[in-house]
Amino acid sequence: MKKLWRNARLATLADPSGWGLIKAGAIVTEGERLHWVGQASALPAGLQVDEEHDLEGALVTPGLVDCHTHLVYGGQRAAEFELRLQGASYEQIARAGGGIRSTVSATRGATDGELYQAALGRAHALMAEGVTTVEIKSGYGLSLEHEVRCLRIARLLAHLLPLQVRTTCLSAHALPPEFEGRPDDYIAAVCEWLPVLHGQGLVDAVDVFCENIAFSLAQTRQVFEAAQRLGLPVKLHAEQLSDQGGAQLAAEFGALSCDHLEHLSAAGVQAMARAGTVAVLLPGAYYFLRETRLPPIAALRTASVPIAIATDHNPGSSPGLSPLLMLSMACTLFRLTPEEALRGMTVNGARALGLRDRGSLLAGQRADFAVWQVEHPNELAYWFGRNPCSRVIHGGQERHPTLPDDAPR
Ligand code: NIG
Ligand code: FE
């Protein structure tokens, strides 16, 4: 079925730089794909469509791609937030058995229904701000049984919602209590789970938290080798709290992305540039952990490393569910331009997931786009605490309702 979406201002992001603005634009979708995008005056003569939709002069951008979230978990960590405000550090809390481990016990203790309902509310919040593709990591189950449960719930969201979901296995997120003092045994177990999880169709990519409070470079390598044997792409939580050289290791494995990167070295930047690895920057975690060391933005730009921006939604380091606030913080905290920020949550977000079929408004790409009640795309990084998203089209279909009244915000 062909549909004409007329009377729109488009920010296509179709070229490597610039907004790709088309003032009096139109879009033709055919099924799930964009069939034609351009100036309304240049619409192909004799075009026959099955439906016509008036976008009333609103701004249209590609649907947002949130390429790094931990959406499925039980409980919350507001008490830990208070401890941190009183001076405890994220590392101290983790070493004392809190942090990720406390979410692991809450997740294991939650029913499937509880986990699903909580994740559904979070997915709705992201969708309301124009997200059409989201990545969801496991990593709060930390046993085969509970990792399967969390990844299944992530897949179920994709099945039941007008939303594209990519799942990442992050079983190497923290050491579960039953493996206390035996991190190598745990990593060996994770390497045995991977073929099982993959065999059940639950894994699109494999991630590791490489950090002094998590897993070493050698342990990360083992997980990456197991992923490689299965033909799965890898990603890495790298250089968030210290420089472990994780970026170089990830680049060696042709990683899709390295994420966080506040402590990334010059050598790490070069390795990522050579491998074409995307730098996923997470201003929500930087803000919420009250970090002061910035990722090396200028060096990433100079080396032409693609930069993506994501929410990193999780209960410990980034409990935010507003992709638009992340765009704002990418500019205010990381000094990205509004165009870099939006590119980071569209084209480059898609690239961080290995997806080349979305992220810009170009014929042939997925027909995922968001409609905004703003004049110019720079406003998406300008307003905060206000959601100007009025409509979302996912795979050529209008999503109803775009703003569910009862969606948790
Ligand atoms: O991306 N850095 C590790 N993982 C998450 C936080 C997990 C947690 O604290 O629950 C992150 O920041
Ligand atoms: Fe994360």
Side-chain angles (χ1 to χ4, degrees):
M1 175 185 294
K2 272 204 186 108
K3 299 179 187 172
L4 170 63
W5 308 81
R6 57 183 178 77
N7 199 7
R9 273 168 304 118
L10 309 178
T12 65
L13 298 173
D15 297 316
S17 69
W19 295 104
L21 280 181
I22 300 178
K23 282 197 179 137
I27 293 176
V28 180
T29 57
E30 181 166 20
E32 293 198 333
R33 300 274 149 187
L34 297 172
H35 175 72
W36 187 92
V37 178
Q39 207 122 35
S41 59
L43 269 166
L47 176 79
Q48 300 274 333
V49 295
D50 303 286
E51 277 179 21
E52 247 187 82
H53 298 267
D54 185 357
L55 296 176
E56 299 170 328
L59 178 81
V60 173
T61 67
L64 302 187
V65 178
D66 190 353
C67 70
H68 181 144
T69 84
H70 309 246
L71 221 60
V72 181
Y73 60 86
Q76 44 83 10
R77 308 232 294 270
E80 174 183 319
F81 172 51
E82 288 207 53
L83 285 177
R84 284 197 297 102
L85 291 175
Q86 287 157 18
S89 73
Y90 184 75
E91 288 95 321
Q92 283 165 344
I93 291 167
R95 287 190 196 283
I100 296 173
R101 270 199 188 183
S102 69
T103 300
V104 171
S105 70
T107 303
R108 289 177 176 181
T111 65
D112 286 1
E114 285 164 347
L115 289 179
Y116 177 72
Q117 286 302 326
L120 180 69
R122 295 172 195 134
H124 270 297
L126 299 178
M127 290 164 69
E129 291 193 6
V131 170
T132 49
T133 297
V134 65
E135 184 253 22
I136 301 179
K137 300 176 195 295
S138 69
Y140 291 118
L142 308 192
S143 69
L144 181 57
E145 175 200 348
H146 291 286
E147 289 287 286
V148 165
R149 231 155 59 86
C150 293
L151 289 166
R152 283 220 176 111
I153 286 166
R155 284 277 197 250
L156 189 62
L157 289 173
H159 188 66
L160 297 176
L161 292 174
L163 178 69
Q164 300 278 298
V165 175
R166 304 295 284 182
T167 55
T168 297
C169 175
L170 177 59
S171 299
H173 193 196
L175 194 63
E178 57 276 19
F179 280 88
E180 186 64 57
R182 298 186 295 127
D184 287 333
D185 291 351
Y186 180 63
I187 289 297
V190 169
C191 294
E192 283 175 17
W193 301 343
L194 270 180
V196 181
L197 296 166
H198 182 46
Q200 296 187 24
L202 293 173
V203 185
D204 296 316
V206 175
D207 195 348
V208 175
F209 186 18
C210 180
E211 191 52 71
N212 50 31
I213 55 165
F215 297 103
S216 69
L217 217 48
Q219 290 160 344
T220 303
R221 177 183 289 280
Q222 272 181 272
V223 177
F224 281 1
E225 283 170 353
Q228 199 172 49
R229 284 195 289 277
L230 297 168
L232 286 168
V234 301
K235 307 167 79 69
L236 191 64
H237 278 71
E239 344 295 16
Q240 179 186 8
L241 308 168
S242 60
D243 179 18
Q244 301 280 314
Q248 292 91 313
L249 177 69
E252 189 187 318
F253 283 81
L256 291 174
S257 71
C258 288
D259 304 39
H260 287 286
L261 301 176
E262 279 82 350
H263 293 259
L264 179 64
S265 67
V269 173
Q270 293 312 318
M272 288 174 66
R274 279 193 299 274
T277 299
V278 176
V280 179
L281 305 184
L282 304 167
Y286 175 90
Y287 159 78
F288 194 66
L289 296 183
R290 301 171 69 235
E291 297 290 354
T292 49
R293 185 179 166 124
L294 287 164
I297 314 280
L300 289 168
R301 279 194 189 112
T302 305
S304 301
V305 174
I307 296 175
I309 299 294
T311 62
D312 189 18
H313 176 81
N314 75 74
S317 71
S318 187
L321 281 165
S322 169
L324 293 175
L325 180 58
M326 301 303 153
L327 296 185
S328 165
M329 293 198 295
C331 298
T332 54
L333 301 177
F334 291 171
R335 292 280 181 263
L336 261 58
T337 66
E339 183 206 317
E340 284 174 319
L342 184 62
R343 194 174 287 283
M345 219 180 253
T346 51
V347 193
N348 290 342
R351 193 163 161 181
L353 299 177
L355 301 171
R356 301 291 180 138
D357 67 343
R358 66 198 73 182
S360 59
L361 300 176
L362 263 178
Q365 292 246 306
R366 272 188 61 84
D368 292 344
F369 50 93
V371 182
W372 310 91
Q373 299 302 316
V374 298
E375 289 281 317
H376 193 277
N378 62 11
E379 290 175 65
L380 299 182
Y382 164 75
W383 303 105
F384 61 94
R386 164 189 175 219
N387 179 11
C389 182
S390 57
R391 298 165 77 170
V392 176
I393 285 70
H394 171 262
Q397 304 269 1
E398 179 127 27
R399 210 145 79 176
H400 295 290
T402 304
L403 285 169
D405 287 342
D406 57 352
R409 306 302 306 273

